Amino acid sequence: MFQQVIKNFNIHFNPLNEQNTISGGDLVTGHISFELTKETKITSITMAVRGKAHVHWSRGGGGKRSRRRHYSAKLEFFNLQGYIMQDGNVSGGTTKLQPGTHMFPFSCQLPQGDFPSTFHGPHGHIAYTLTVGINRPWHLCKDFVAQLNFVNRFDTNQPLLGAPLSGSNSKTVCCLCCVSGPVTMTVSTEKKAFTPGETLKLICDFSNASTRTITPKIKLQQRQVYYTISRNSRTMVFKKLEFITGHPINPHTSFVRNEILLTIPTSASPSISNCSILEVEYFIEVRLCASFSSDLTVLIPIIICNTFISPQPPAYM
């Protein structure tokens, strides 16, 4: 059998950086290695580097007369074909490889372009792969697939990425016919863009003129949005990445400032806004909770990228 002839197949990439990521325009190099248990005729060893996105979800089907509807979409960013080994004598010729370990280098120049980063979610994925095919006479081609960790090369020259963000909200706490003083909050961050593993500082200013104790709760959330090609249908998934409960704020407190540290998980994938069928967004939700009352909420949208962004210096006064 084919599996008994070829053993210990491996695809090795030469890393371009410490994160072992690639981006548009990079030259991907490496080698393949495998063992042969006997003399084997090889027609060719091919390679294909592909970038594609696929989404799928369904709705309905809850009742006897309700049919379940399925939604899906596909995109292909590029599909590069080439040879790692090909017999150079005659078309359709073969090369005899002896038993033992064999190693062949490969290289592939990725196209320039604004391609989205690798992502895997419950309703779809963006994937970049290298497929190596070994072709033998009178045998089906055997494919070996390796995943590439592709990261969009972010434009770090956008001024808004390093600019501070701020949001405010207020409400009056009521209980039946009794009205107490307002509750207000302002939430600020020093910049908009962060990297996985980076710790951001939230500056939260609270005022509680009500008669109740309020408690701040902070969440870092990821929102995934999946679309059909026409974008007429979509589905969303929310994922909570971090959660912190702040110190309670007593009634009739005019001003309290809390500086809250929130660390971006190292596993967080980059934000995706350049794919028409799949988007990944992040936001910080600060919620003030009081018993027997609706919550007061401020949302701060942030961007996660793989390049550190320095905060802008304060404006000269």
Side-chain angles (χ1 to χ4, degrees), residues 22-316:
I22 61 170
S23 300
D26 284 344
L27 178 65
V28 180
T29 62
H31 67 265
I32 64 170
S33 62
F34 54 88
E35 296 179 19
L36 294 179
T37 59
K38 65 179 183 179
E39 183 181 86
T40 305
K41 292 182 179 181
I42 302 292
T43 305
S44 64
I45 302 178
T46 60
M47 61 179 292
V49 179
R50 299 183 177 94
K52 59 185 180 180
H54 175 250
V55 300
H56 177 268
W57 71 94
S58 58
R59 292 188 185 132
K64 293 182 178 180
R65 297 185 179 181
S66 176
R67 296 183 61 184
R68 194 160 188 81
R69 298 191 61 183
H70 295 271
Y71 303 84
S72 64
K74 294 181 180 180
L75 290 177
E76 184 172 81
F77 309 122
F78 53 80
N79 186 351
L80 310 175
Q81 308 282 338
Y83 287 95
I84 295 177
M85 190 212 81
Q86 184 182 26
D87 184 83
N89 297 323
V90 292
S91 177
T94 61
T95 299
K96 288 183 180 180
L97 297 182
Q98 299 303 311
T101 301
H102 296 268
M103 184 180 298
F104 295 92
F106 65 81
S107 65
C108 180
Q109 181 73 54
L110 297 184
Q112 296 280 359
D114 184 26
F115 306 117
S117 299
T118 296
F119 179 78
H120 294 273
H123 297 306
H125 62 262
I126 298 171
Y128 298 83
T129 58
L130 169 64
T131 302
V132 176
I134 298 184
N135 299 278
R136 299 199 299 158
W138 308 105
H139 288 76
L140 294 176
C141 177
K142 177 63 176 178
D143 289 338
F144 301 88
V145 182
Q147 300 288 329
L148 300 172
N149 188 11
F150 188 94
V151 173
N152 178 258
R153 188 169 278 120
F154 216 71
D155 181 10
T156 59
N157 295 320
Q158 303 176 59
L160 291 178
L161 299 180
L165 293 177
S166 182
S168 301
N169 204 352
S170 64
K171 61 173 284 188
T172 299
V173 178
C174 301
C175 181
L176 299 178
C177 59
C178 300
V179 178
S180 62
V183 174
T184 63
M185 70 169 161
T186 300
V187 181
S188 304
T189 64
E190 60 180 354
K191 59 179 182 175
K192 183 179 180 69
F194 301 88
T195 59
E198 185 177 354
T199 297
L200 63 88
K201 180 169 66 174
L202 287 175
I203 300 176
C204 304
D205 295 331
F206 304 117
S207 292
N208 181 15
S210 74
T211 58
R212 301 177 187 173
T213 299
I214 57 176
T215 303
K217 297 182 179 180
I218 300 93
K219 287 192 295 187
L220 171 61
Q221 290 212 87
Q222 178 194 75
R223 180 170 62 184
Q224 307 165 19
V225 190
Y226 303 86
Y227 297 93
T228 56
I229 291 293
S230 63
R231 295 177 74 93
N232 290 330
S233 298
R234 69 175 186 174
T235 188
M236 289 190 291
V237 174
F238 290 85
K239 184 177 180 181
K240 183 173 67 177
L241 301 182
E242 290 291 320
F243 180 78
I244 296 174
T245 299
H247 298 293
I249 302 167
N250 294 324
H252 307 298
T253 302
S254 59
F255 179 82
V256 172
R257 166 163 289 185
N258 286 345
E259 293 187 357
I260 300 171
L261 299 180
L262 187 68
T263 300
I264 307 294
T266 56
S267 59
S269 58
S271 301
I272 297 175
S273 60
N274 57 341
C275 181
S276 60
I277 63 173
L278 202 165
E279 295 176 351
V280 179
E281 303 169 318
Y282 294 90
F283 57 91
I284 300 168
E285 177 188 277
V286 181
R287 186 181 297 270
L288 288 181
C289 304
S291 57
F292 306 107
S293 177
S294 59
D295 297 338
L296 181 66
T297 304
V298 166
L299 298 179
I300 302 292
I302 65 171
I303 289 174
I304 295 181
C305 60
N306 278 52
T307 303
F308 177 78
I309 306 293
S310 298
Q312 291 183 3
Y316 178 76

